[in-house]
Amino acid sequence: MPTYKAPLRDMMFVLDEVIGTSRVQSIPQFSEVNRDLIEAVFNESARFTETVLHPLNQSGDKEGCHWHDHAVTTPKGFKEAYKAFVDGGWPTLTGNAEYGGQGLPNVISMMTEEMICSSNLAFSLYPGLTRGSSIMLERHGSKELKDKYLPKLIQGTWAGTMCLTEPHCGTDLGLLRTKAELQSDGTYRISGTKIFISSGDHDLTDNIIHFVIARTPEAAPGIKGISLFLVPKFMVNEDDSLGERNPVFCASIEHKMGIKASSTCVMNFDGAVGYLVGDLYKGINNMFTMMNTERIGVGMQGLGIAEVAYQNALAYARDRLQGRSLTGPKYPDKPADPLMVHPDIRRMLLTMKSMNEGCRLLAAWVAETLDVMEHSSDPVQKQEAEDFVQLMTPIIKAFLTDVGTEGANLGLQVFGGHGYIHEWGMEQFARDARIAQIYEGTNGVQALDLIGRKLPAHAGRFLRRFFHPLDAYLTQHATNIDLADFIQPLAKVYGRLQHATVTIATKALGNADEAGAAATDYLRLFGLTALAYLWCRAVEVAQAKIGQGEDDFYEAKIHTARFFMTKVLPQSSALFSQIMAGAKPLMNFDDKHFG
Amino acid sequence: MPTYKAPLRDMMFVLDEVIGTSRVQSIPQFSEVNRDLIEAVFNESARFTETVLHPLNQSGDKEGCHWHDHAVTTPKGFKEAYKAFVDGGWPTLTGNAEYGGQGLPNVISMMTEEMICSSNLAFSLYPGLTRGSSIMLERHGSKELKDKYLPKLIQGTWAGTMCLTEPHCGTDLGLLRTKAELQSDGTYRISGTKIFISSGDHDLTDNIIHFVIARTPEAAPGIKGISLFLVPKFMVNEDDSLGERNPVFCASIEHKMGIKASSTCVMNFDGAVGYLVGDLYKGINNMFTMMNTERIGVGMQGLGIAEVAYQNALAYARDRLQGRSLTGPKYPDKPADPLMVHPDIRRMLLTMKSMNEGCRLLAAWVAETLDVMEHSSDPVQKQEAEDFVQLMTPIIKAFLTDVGTEGANLGLQVFGGHGYIHEWGMEQFARDARIAQIYEGTNGVQALDLIGRKLPAHAGRFLRRFFHPLDAYLTQHATNIDLADFIQPLAKVYGRLQHATVTIATKALGNADEAGAAATDYLRLFGLTALAYLWCRAVEVAQAKIGQGEDDFYEAKIHTARFFMTKVLPQSSALFSQIMAGAKPLMNFDDKHFG
């Protein structure tokens, strides 16, 4: 049976000591966000996720969701846990205070989301999609729609969904066929089939509010003819009581590799009543407001799984006696040494640890900037923050979810045969983590978004928000002897990233496939560079704090950074060579030669 | 629903055109093994695996095995398929003719095993363990035991198992507790619990013959006190009819991530009658005869899954219309272009293709040498062959199974969301493939076997069987302009491997952990070097054959090799740097710093 303890000390290190919350606190609505408040929220979130959500993770996987008569029942205990989640006010954390939210910053919710994902990834999807929906509605909905739906979505008493995919279109939404027909009363009738709808139906809330993209009859083909509609499961009366059932039904649920306690639905809209959200034909843009929040959220799923996988692998490696150290018995009084003595076990654990802690730094950096982007009153600061978030969103989504699957599989491997059976919970982490590389845009699509949209945007303006701080940092520490072991590898990988960026940008001018061919390797190289930078900053902090207590914690940071620089970061040399090899080996490969 | 077609053309290319069968044919018992015979066997194996085993793969996963009253029932159709397998003579393929086998070489069976694993990995375990058991019994059993059990094991009418693991000992068999007590009649009574016993019980055969390692009361502690015993499920009467039930029972079956149609049993031996196999206290050595065969077999599991995953991903990428080429629509008359136009999809497919075909070459090279090792009458040739097989066994096991999981996951990713649901079969490949990195010695243990045992053995004698042909090849082709694009990267990676070998060997003299810390990276570097060499040889053959018909096939080889050299082989630079970073980042990491 796996265990979970929220990594509170590391979360405070990341937020309070490395990334810092001063910019966030300078925003008027966050002026009261101080260390005490953050710790109070984290402690309570730790208690809730460890004691309420985590115990349902394995049972939820085993039981899965049930479909019966066009309705979904969640596994035993989920309804009660969701009620406790709502009663605890967790859905309202970052919500707009005007609609009943607590108005806390993303730097806090990003960490509480990590805890939720670590403890029960399948559960996290229900509030995760509701949160994304409410952000979108707040930004694009009419006052009328907002007044009616937003308070309950923010409270979590109603849930939200995002209905995009159809059987013949996943990534390519321009192909979609779902129809929206205007009625004389100004509402629309929505008809069509959507698939892979997370939380499409369930028994956690009284009502479910679907956000559906569809095509009006006169609309242009492709994505320019798509509009966004709000379609409630139950109609809402004037007095806010629930009215008639709207004809939107769950036709079936998918049987999946993992996240089995999350319902993944085929949804049939049979002339269901829908309300236009935002302007006609702006459906994709409006939906993408939600997609970016969702994509960062999915990144946290990767980190969450990687963290819990690490914790359990570490506990097992300490507990399990197997074999002797290569340099002679370390515990001669015991029948064997613990797994921890074996270099290869340590390699796996430290790969996980250095990646996870680095990714947590990266997530916090983006979350802090997201708060500035959303709330700063300084237009320059706001724009710069938005540029950075735009740039980093695909990296958070893809890099962190790759790390999630890699970490889950390393953790599983530490357990040997025990990792492969349900009982220990490790194989569930590997199955659950796998979806995060796929949904909300596959990681290949993220890489293309980074290299094809974010890089060239405004003549490289987004990129400068990453390159400038790195340039400044490297200049500042060029002669810092204490940091030399860390700055040197950072300078090297950053040089590779710069070189790769220029090469791709130049080549892609003549041939767009050059960008596509490099995309996945480039995103990984970018992520590793970001982690190298953040590890340097973490080491700086740790070096300064040693001798003031908690030396073990800070020394661990320095050693973990050292491991990252010498044993993980060399990946960048391979990525660089693969990028420089260009598109020819892929694109000059005739279709018939594939077999 | 996934499909499978045995890659017969590639198998013949590998065996007949690159590796060659002349050494095998020069062995008297294989003098009739010619191209016609190989093709005939392959064609029949293709038919059987495609039409009998493959259709049961998904249903077997869905249904799983059933445990009831200490007995296991396999999924619907497995019993009939197994009967057809026996009736077709498949278990006898390589068996000793003296005991009813067909006496065919490993170069043939390695490929038929790949087909079985591609079509139904879970099924493959039943005959796979039986084959391993019969090899071990033939080598170490008394004439009496062989006469009684071997014909039926070779025929497959009885099945075999390998009972090693106990709850507290997986890799570290020295800890085992199962007892064997000598009786006055010369038999033993075996008592204890074994776990993770593949095919421990099932309904496919009338009898199951367990090969069990256990400790006699007076035996030394550790692995030197372990002996091997044959324990039949049903006692066998004088007239070979089945007698009493021996008290060995399946206490439960495991619920696993994958290979659900393979029974994984907890086996209780309650004073079961056992017969000593080979000498007392030689149990581990005797068992390892089987382990090596098994390990090579497990490597084929990795390749088998990677192959079927590739085939299905390719078919999907050709069929699925999604998005447009980055360089403008390629099929403007269709609503979208097929996935094949996207560089990142091609990257995934070509990574799979170049790895799979390279691994098939490697497997054939080892299989061919295995035949020489087992049957050559020239003692020098025989010894050299054995050295090579010893060296390559951990590489075949670990490298090919890593490729299996990587390929299954790349294939899944090509499918996007459809890859994550049961229906399309891709997620099953990923779940099934995962076990192969764990059982028969985890891949970390394989890496340690390579670096800690195989490298230093006889002052590096094993290693020379790989280095010498590479040296000779590089010398021979140093000025071959046609091959230059391939020879150069081979020379580079081989240089890295040599440098790494010397460095590790030197460092490990002073500190064994230096070997352990490098092991996994070193094994991967070794595997990539072997593939680079074999791809060069494949290109040589292909270049010579172009213009003689089948140009598409040979051109595909050259382009695939080019992809491998430029887009996969750069991994070796990262591996090299990680190896050179040494053991300190791992071993100087204090236990308390892990968290």
Side-chain angles (χ1 to χ4, degrees):
Chain A
M1 180 84 151
T3 58
Y4 174 63
K5 290 293 280 180
L8 298 176
R9 180 65 191 91
D10 197 54
M11 287 176 168
M12 290 312 293
F13 172 74
V14 163
L15 272 194
D16 201 51
E17 298 173 66
V18 183
I19 302 301
T21 53
S22 61
R23 286 208 304 174
V24 172
Q25 279 172 277
S26 74
I27 295 165
Q29 82 170 87
F30 300 138
S31 59
E32 286 171 28
V33 174
N34 56 30
R35 192 184 164 99
D36 286 351
L37 182 137
I38 295 173
E39 280 192 323
V41 175
F42 283 5
N43 285 334
E44 189 52 26
S45 176
R47 193 199 59 74
F48 184 80
T49 53
E50 291 166 9
T51 63
V52 179
L53 297 186
H54 178 67
L56 297 175
N57 191 43
Q58 265 192 305
S59 58
D61 176 66
K62 194 172 175 190
E63 184 185 340
C65 287
H66 310 277
W67 182 91
H68 175 70
D69 210 12
H70 300 92
V72 175
T73 313
T74 54
K76 194 163 175 293
F78 270 58
K79 201 168 172 171
E80 294 73 16
Y82 187 80
K83 185 174 180 308
F85 188 76
V86 170
D87 291 348
W90 293 109
T92 68
L93 214 57
T94 56
N96 189 334
E98 206 180 320
Y99 295 98
Q102 299 182 58
L104 289 173
N106 288 292
V107 284
I108 293 182
S109 66
M110 203 80 98
M111 299 287 171
T112 58
E113 271 181 43
E114 184 200 311
M115 297 184 212
I116 298 170
C117 295
S118 285
S119 62
N120 196 321
L121 186 61
F123 180 91
S124 81
L125 269 72
Y126 297 105
L129 284 153
T130 304
R131 187 181 167 216
S133 309
S134 63
I135 291 171
M136 187 174 54
L137 180 61
E138 187 183 341
R139 203 155 312 166
H140 303 291
S142 64
K143 184 171 184 312
E144 196 187 342
L145 285 178
K146 285 199 274 195
D147 287 346
K148 195 152 194 163
Y149 294 95
L150 206 46
K152 302 230 166 162
L153 284 171
I154 286 177
Q155 274 167 29
T157 44
W158 293 350
T161 79
M162 192 156 105
C163 300
L164 285 75
T165 306
E166 300 182 6
H168 58 288
C169 69
T171 298
D172 190 355
L173 294 170
L175 301 176
L176 78 81
R177 295 178 190 151
T178 296
K179 283 185 306 185
E181 290 174 302
L182 182 63
Q183 307 298 302
S184 53
D185 62 357
T187 66
Y188 290 78
R189 291 293 174 280
I190 313 293
S191 306
T193 298
K194 297 284 182 179
I195 63 166
F196 296 158
I197 306 309
S198 296
S199 318
D201 197 58
H202 55 75
D203 56 357
L204 303 181
T205 54
D206 297 334
N207 205 0
I208 298 174
I209 314 303
H210 305 286
F211 290 85
V212 186
I213 50 173
R215 198 182 288 289
T216 46
E218 79 298 346
I223 60 164
K224 288 177 184 163
I226 293 172
S227 306
L228 176 64
F229 302 90
L230 182 159
V231 181
K233 176 177 176 180
F234 286 98
M235 301 302 292
V236 181
N237 298 324
E238 288 288 317
D239 65 353
D240 287 352
S241 63
L242 295 186
E244 273 179 35
R245 184 75 164 81
N246 206 5
V248 42
F249 289 100
C250 174
S252 64
I253 56 175
E254 303 293 351
H255 300 281
K256 308 185 299 291
M257 184 182 195
I259 54 163
K260 292 179 189 242
S262 163
S263 65
T264 306
C265 305
V266 174
M267 299 300 294
N268 283 340
F269 295 81
D270 301 323
V273 176
Y275 308 97
L276 182 68
V277 178
D279 293 335
L280 261 181
Y281 317 137
K282 294 288 178 195
I284 292 291
N285 286 347
N286 297 345
M287 186 59 93
F288 266 81
T289 317
M290 180 178 178
M291 283 293 273
N292 281 329
T293 315
E294 291 297 316
R295 283 176 175 179
I296 296 174
V298 172
M300 300 314 289
Q301 298 180 1
L303 175 56
I305 293 288
E307 171 64 33
V308 71
Y310 173 71
Q311 290 185 17
N312 284 279
L314 175 61
Y316 190 79
R318 282 179 163 150
D319 188 56
R320 175 82 170 172
L321 305 180
Q322 205 75 183
R324 289 295 186 187
S325 164
L326 297 169
T327 56
K330 292 292 168 283
Y331 297 83
D333 51 321
K334 292 188 178 172
D337 287 340
L339 287 180
M340 284 295 282
V341 305
H342 303 300
D344 198 58
I345 296 286
R346 298 167 83 89
R347 175 189 65 82
M348 294 192 274
L349 291 172
L350 287 173
T351 301
M352 299 170 78
K353 181 177 169 68
S354 65
M355 281 297 214
N356 296 355
E357 294 177 10
C359 286
R360 190 171 292 120
L361 284 161
L362 182 58
W365 188 17
V366 175
E368 189 256 2
T369 317
L370 192 58
D371 288 321
V372 174
M373 163 186 146
E374 288 177 353
H375 300 288
S376 174
S377 54
D378 175 344
V380 173
Q381 196 187 42
K382 198 177 167 79
Q383 182 63 57
E384 289 186 353
E386 178 163 352
D387 290 355
F388 180 75
V389 170
Q390 289 282 4
L391 178 71
M392 300 307 284
T393 296
I395 297 168
I396 292 278
K397 196 282 179 180
F399 188 80
L400 267 65
T401 59
D402 285 350
V403 166
T405 285
E406 290 161 19
N409 276 289
L410 287 170
L412 191 165
Q413 193 72 17
V414 168
F415 276 71
H418 295 276
Y420 197 70
I421 58 174
H422 293 342
E423 190 182 341
W424 290 84
M426 300 304 287
E427 61 86 38
Q428 184 190 344
F429 297 143
R431 287 186 290 105
D432 286 355
R434 190 65 184 83
I435 187 60
Q437 297 174 289
I438 298 171
Y439 59 19
E440 310 300 343
T442 64
N443 286 1
V445 167
Q446 303 301 321
L448 209 55
D449 176 48
L450 173 65
I451 211 163
R453 290 201 199 97
K454 304 304 172 62
L455 245 55
H458 308 289
R461 198 182 75 198
F462 295 177
L463 199 60
R464 288 197 283 277
R465 298 277 63 78
F466 182 80
F467 278 16
H468 283 183
L470 262 77
D471 287 333
Y473 191 82
L474 285 168
T475 305
Q476 184 192 345
H477 293 286
T479 57
N480 183 339
I481 300 205
D482 294 339
L483 271 188
D485 284 358
F486 307 93
I487 292 289
Q488 277 169 10
L490 170 61
K492 198 167 175 181
V493 69
Y494 180 48
R496 284 176 176 144
L497 181 68
Q498 288 178 305
H499 190 159
T501 306
V502 172
T503 305
I504 296 165
T506 313
K507 283 190 184 174
L509 285 176
N511 178 5
D513 281 334
E514 288 287 348
T520 290
D521 290 334
Y522 182 80
L523 186 146
R524 178 99 183 171
L525 179 61
F526 209 124
L528 288 170
T529 308
L531 258 56
Y533 166 62
L534 293 164
W535 269 119
C536 283
R537 289 181 55 188
V539 168
E540 241 192 297
V541 172
Q543 286 178 343
K545 298 233 176 169
I546 281 176
Q548 300 173 26
E550 292 193 282
D551 281 7
D552 281 347
F553 179 83
Y554 294 111
E555 279 167 11
K557 284 289 167 200
I558 295 168
H559 288 296
T560 307
R562 205 175 286 281
F563 176 87
F564 178 82
M565 297 295 175
T566 55
K567 291 285 194 180
V568 177
L569 200 56
Q571 284 174 25
S572 62
S573 66
L575 296 166
F576 180 72
S577 301
Q578 287 156 208
I579 290 168
M580 299 310 276
K584 272 191 194 166
L586 297 169
M587 305 314 292
N588 287 9
F589 201 98
D590 201 291
D591 274 17
K592 70 186 172 204
H593 289 156
F594 279 88
Chain B
M1 182 86 154
T3 58
Y4 173 64
K5 288 294 282 181
L8 297 176
R9 180 66 191 90
D10 197 53
M11 288 175 167
M12 289 312 293
F13 172 74
V14 163
L15 272 194
D16 201 51
E17 299 173 64
V18 183
I19 302 301
T21 52
S22 60
R23 287 209 303 175
V24 171
Q25 279 171 278
S26 73
I27 295 165
Q29 82 169 91
F30 300 138
S31 59
E32 286 170 30
V33 175
N34 55 29
R35 191 183 165 101
D36 287 350
L37 182 138
I38 295 173
E39 279 192 322
V41 175
F42 282 5
N43 285 335
E44 190 52 26
S45 175
R47 193 199 59 75
F48 185 79
T49 53
E50 291 165 10
T51 63
V52 179
L53 297 185
H54 179 68
L56 296 175
N57 191 42
Q58 266 193 306
S59 57
D61 176 66
K62 194 173 175 190
E63 183 184 340
C65 287
H66 309 277
W67 182 89
H68 175 71
D69 210 12
H70 300 92
V72 175
T73 312
T74 55
K76 192 162 175 297
F78 270 58
K79 200 167 172 171
E80 294 73 16
Y82 187 79
K83 186 175 179 306
F85 187 76
V86 171
D87 291 348
W90 294 109
T92 67
L93 212 59
T94 56
N96 190 332
E98 205 181 322
Y99 294 97
Q102 298 181 58
L104 289 172
N106 287 292
V107 284
I108 293 182
S109 66
M110 202 78 98
M111 299 286 171
T112 57
E113 271 181 44
E114 184 200 311
M115 298 184 212
I116 297 169
C117 295
S118 284
S119 62
N120 197 323
L121 186 60
F123 180 91
S124 81
L125 269 73
Y126 297 104
L129 284 153
T130 303
R131 187 182 166 213
S133 310
S134 63
I135 291 171
M136 187 173 56
L137 181 60
E138 187 182 341
R139 200 151 319 164
H140 304 289
S142 64
K143 183 170 186 308
E144 195 186 346
L145 284 178
K146 285 199 276 194
D147 287 346
K148 193 150 194 162
Y149 294 96
L150 205 46
K152 301 231 168 161
L153 284 171
I154 286 177
Q155 274 167 27
T157 45
W158 293 351
T161 79
M162 191 155 105
C163 300
L164 284 76
T165 306
E166 299 182 7
H168 59 288
C169 68
T171 299
D172 189 355
L173 294 170
L175 301 176
L176 78 82
R177 295 177 190 151
T178 297
K179 284 186 305 187
E181 290 174 303
L182 182 61
Q183 308 298 304
S184 54
D185 63 356
T187 66
Y188 289 79
R189 290 292 175 279
I190 313 292
S191 307
T193 297
K194 297 283 182 180
I195 64 167
F196 297 158
I197 306 309
S198 296
S199 319
D201 197 60
H202 55 75
D203 56 357
L204 303 181
T205 53
D206 298 335
N207 205 0
I208 299 174
I209 313 303
H210 304 287
F211 290 85
V212 187
I213 51 173
R215 199 182 286 290
T216 46
E218 78 297 344
I223 60 163
K224 289 176 185 165
I226 293 173
S227 306
L228 176 64
F229 302 89
L230 182 159
V231 181
K233 176 177 175 179
F234 286 98
M235 302 302 292
V236 181
N237 297 326
E238 289 287 318
D239 65 353
D240 287 354
S241 62
L242 296 186
E244 275 179 34
R245 185 73 164 82
N246 205 5
V248 42
F249 289 101
C250 175
S252 64
I253 55 175
E254 303 293 351
H255 300 280
K256 309 186 296 294
M257 185 180 193
I259 53 162
K260 292 179 190 239
S262 162
S263 66
T264 307
C265 305
V266 174
M267 300 299 296
N268 284 339
F269 296 81
D270 301 324
V273 176
Y275 308 95
L276 183 67
V277 179
D279 293 335
L280 260 182
Y281 317 136
K282 294 287 179 199
I284 292 292
N285 286 348
N286 296 346
M287 186 59 94
F288 267 81
T289 318
M290 179 178 178
M291 284 292 273
N292 281 331
T293 315
E294 291 297 316
R295 283 176 176 179
I296 296 174
V298 172
M300 299 316 288
Q301 298 180 1
L303 175 55
I305 292 286
E307 171 63 33
V308 70
Y310 173 71
Q311 290 185 14
N312 284 279
L314 175 60
Y316 190 79
R318 283 180 162 151
D319 188 56
R320 175 82 171 171
L321 305 181
Q322 206 75 185
R324 288 295 185 187
S325 163
L326 296 170
T327 56
K330 292 290 167 284
Y331 297 82
D333 51 319
K334 291 188 178 171
D337 287 340
L339 288 180
M340 284 295 282
V341 304
H342 302 301
D344 198 58
I345 297 288
R346 298 167 83 90
R347 176 189 64 80
M348 294 192 274
L349 290 172
L350 288 173
T351 301
M352 299 169 79
K353 181 176 169 68
S354 65
M355 281 297 215
N356 296 357
E357 294 177 9
C359 286
R360 190 170 293 121
L361 284 161
L362 182 57
W365 188 17
V366 175
E368 188 258 2
T369 318
L370 191 59
D371 287 320
V372 174
M373 162 187 148
E374 288 176 354
H375 300 288
S376 173
S377 55
D378 175 345
V380 173
Q381 195 186 44
K382 197 178 168 81
Q383 183 63 56
E384 289 186 352
E386 179 163 355
D387 290 355
F388 180 75
V389 170
Q390 289 282 5
L391 177 72
M392 300 308 282
T393 296
I395 297 168
I396 291 279
K397 196 281 180 180
F399 188 80
L400 267 62
T401 59
D402 284 349
V403 167
T405 285
E406 290 161 19
N409 276 288
L410 286 171
L412 192 165
Q413 193 72 17
V414 169
F415 276 71
H418 296 276
Y420 197 69
I421 57 174
H422 293 342
E423 190 182 340
W424 290 85
M426 299 304 287
E427 61 87 38
Q428 184 189 345
F429 296 142
R431 288 186 289 106
D432 286 355
R434 191 65 184 81
I435 187 60
Q437 297 174 289
I438 298 171
Y439 59 19
E440 307 303 342
T442 64
N443 286 1
V445 167
Q446 302 301 322
L448 209 55
D449 177 49
L450 173 65
I451 211 164
R453 290 202 197 98
K454 303 305 172 61
L455 244 56
H458 309 289
R461 197 182 76 198
F462 294 178
L463 198 60
R464 288 196 283 278
R465 297 277 64 77
F466 181 80
F467 279 15
H468 282 184
L470 262 79
D471 287 333
Y473 191 81
L474 285 169
T475 305
Q476 184 191 344
H477 293 285
T479 57
N480 183 339
I481 300 208
D482 295 338
L483 270 188
D485 284 358
F486 306 93
I487 292 289
Q488 277 170 10
L490 170 62
K492 199 166 175 183
V493 68
Y494 180 49
R496 284 177 176 143
L497 181 67
Q498 287 178 306
H499 190 160
T501 306
V502 172
T503 305
I504 297 166
T506 312
K507 283 189 183 176
L509 286 176
N511 178 5
D513 280 335
E514 288 287 349
T520 290
D521 290 333
Y522 182 79
L523 185 145
R524 178 99 182 172
L525 179 62
F526 209 124
L528 288 169
T529 308
L531 258 56
Y533 165 61
L534 292 164
W535 268 120
C536 283
R537 289 181 54 188
V539 168
E540 239 192 297
V541 172
Q543 285 177 344
K545 298 234 176 166
I546 281 176
Q548 299 171 27
E550 290 194 284
D551 281 6
D552 280 346
F553 179 83
Y554 293 111
E555 279 167 12
K557 284 289 167 198
I558 296 169
H559 287 296
T560 307
R562 204 175 287 281
F563 177 87
F564 178 82
M565 297 295 176
T566 55
K567 292 285 194 180
V568 177
L569 200 57
Q571 285 175 25
S572 62
S573 67
L575 296 165
F576 181 71
S577 300
Q578 289 157 208
I579 290 168
M580 298 311 277
K584 272 191 194 167
L586 297 168
M587 306 314 292
N588 287 9
F589 201 99
D590 201 290
D591 274 17
K592 69 187 171 202
H593 288 156
F594 279 87

